[in-house]
Amino acid sequence: MSVVRIRTRDEILRVAAELFTRYGFKGTSLHDIAAEVGCSKATLLYHFAHKDAILLALIEPARQSLIDLVARLAGVDDKGVRDAAIEGFVDLVLRYRREVALIYDVTPQFLQEPAFDRVRELTDALVAGFAGRSADLADQTAAKVLLAGIAAVVIDDKRDEGELRPALVVVARRALIPGKD
């Protein structure tokens, strides 16, 4: 791929992220993205077959970090997995705030697409880590509530990472690890 094509692809992703953040995924068309980039819709479609492909490209770094986190958790014993999952997930969502917001913005039907199959598997592994690998329904439900709650707070609360991270970790530990702050 030539340097010009790489720059155009990167510019499409940068502009799409801005427009998705400003107007939402559903509120942004391919035409809007192309117009803002200053290219034709055909040029945009050369780089990305459809709008979903742009979203997938935008969230790919976060997805890869989730893969890495789940791999790290696989090597942690049952006693330490909750704490490792809490710390790792809080760090991940703080690092990828924009991407997490984009995922929350898309319709539930989109999240059922085959492209998200692996993300659902990874999320299930993260739930298991938050639940301390417990099969208990209450532990698993608490894990899901905490994962969703942490993501929602990170999207909504614009405080800097240094201030927000300790509070999120303490709240998750209080909820999931009895007697540990």
Side-chain angles (χ1 to χ4, degrees):
M1 198 178 285
S2 74
V3 172
V4 171
R5 287 186 180 153
I6 292 170
R7 281 192 203 137
T8 301
R9 184 181 192 284
D10 290 348
E11 183 67 5
I12 290 168
L13 289 172
R14 185 190 67 73
V15 167
E18 288 176 10
L19 294 176
F20 291 165
T21 300
R22 193 176 318 146
Y23 303 112
F25 179 77
K26 290 189 285 186
T28 303
S29 70
L30 290 176
H31 175 80
D32 297 334
I33 297 167
E36 188 74 21
V37 169
C39 70
S40 68
K41 188 173 172 183
T43 298
L44 188 146
L45 290 170
Y46 170 82
H47 293 280
F48 300 97
H50 42 74
K51 190 167 71 166
D52 296 356
I54 297 171
L55 178 63
L56 291 171
L58 286 170
I59 66 167
E60 179 56 27
R63 188 186 75 85
Q64 188 57 54
S65 288
L66 181 57
I67 290 168
D68 296 344
L69 173 57
V70 168
R72 283 193 314 274
L73 294 177
V76 177
D77 65 20
D78 289 351
K79 184 176 178 172
V81 72
R82 276 187 172 150
D83 206 42
I86 290 167
E87 299 248 351
F89 183 70
V90 168
D91 290 342
L92 188 147
V93 295
L94 285 169
R95 180 174 179 196
Y96 295 106
R97 279 181 164 179
R98 180 187 72 187
E99 292 81 354
V100 171
L102 289 173
I103 292 168
Y104 269 68
D105 180 55
V106 297
T107 63
Q109 294 84 7
F110 179 78
L111 296 176
Q112 298 307 313
E113 294 292 321
F116 276 95
D117 286 349
R118 180 73 173 130
V119 172
R120 283 189 300 278
E121 291 171 17
L122 294 165
T123 302
D124 290 345
L126 193 54
V127 166
F130 263 62
R133 298 191 181 113
S134 168
D136 181 73
L137 180 59
D139 288 341
Q140 291 179 2
T141 302
K144 289 176 183 178
V145 168
L146 259 290
L147 285 168
I150 290 168
V153 168
V154 166
I155 291 168
D156 185 58
D157 194 317
K158 302 305 178 203
R159 283 178 254 219
D160 70 62
E161 180 179 328
E163 186 177 2
L164 194 52
R165 184 188 187 283
L168 290 169
V169 169
V170 165
V171 167
R173 283 181 178 151
R174 284 179 184 165
L176 295 174
I177 307 171
K180 186 169 184 181
D181 282 350

